[in-house]
Amino acid sequence: MTSNVAQSYPYTTETEAERVAAIERATAQFDGLAKKIADESTPVGEPGPDEPGRPNRSWVFICPLHVPARLHVAGYARERHALYVVCDEGGETYLR
């Protein structure tokens, strides 16, 4: 499988608390990222109650620019039907 195809599929998942913490770390680290996320996406919203013994989880992708970095879901894109994700290493945003 080529790397371009592999980058289109989720790498792993994370709990809601892990997702929120990753986005908070990224927005604190990169100037203007919080505004960019607010301008270009809508919030994920409350995931609802967890299933017994199984917490809600979000997809995590591999960053195409910084391979060891991960892309965390920050919301839904306003302009297109896609997940709006943020790189935890470079602060770039992508649509998935």
Side-chain angles (χ1 to χ4, degrees), residues 24-87:
E24 287 175 353
R25 279 192 307 275
T27 55
Q29 184 178 0
F30 301 104
D31 293 334
L33 182 59
K35 182 177 179 348
K36 183 176 182 179
I37 291 171
D39 291 347
E40 297 178 359
S41 69
T42 59
V44 172
E46 189 62 36
D50 293 341
E51 294 180 27
R54 186 173 175 191
N56 290 312
R57 300 189 73 79
S58 295
W59 294 116
V60 178
F61 301 87
I62 295 175
C63 181
L65 186 58
H66 309 280
V67 177
R70 299 296 174 251
L71 301 175
H72 304 275
V73 176
Y76 298 106
R78 289 186 191 268
E79 299 295 320
R80 297 185 179 196
H81 183 72
L83 292 174
Y84 190 86
V85 296
V86 174
C87 176

Side-chain angles (χ1 to χ4, degrees), residues 1 3-12 59-62 96:
M1 182 180 300
S3 63
N4 288 344
V5 173
Q7 290 169 359
S8 296
Y9 292 95
Y11 169 72
T12 188
W59 294 116
V60 178
F61 301 87
I62 295 175
R96 289 283 177 230

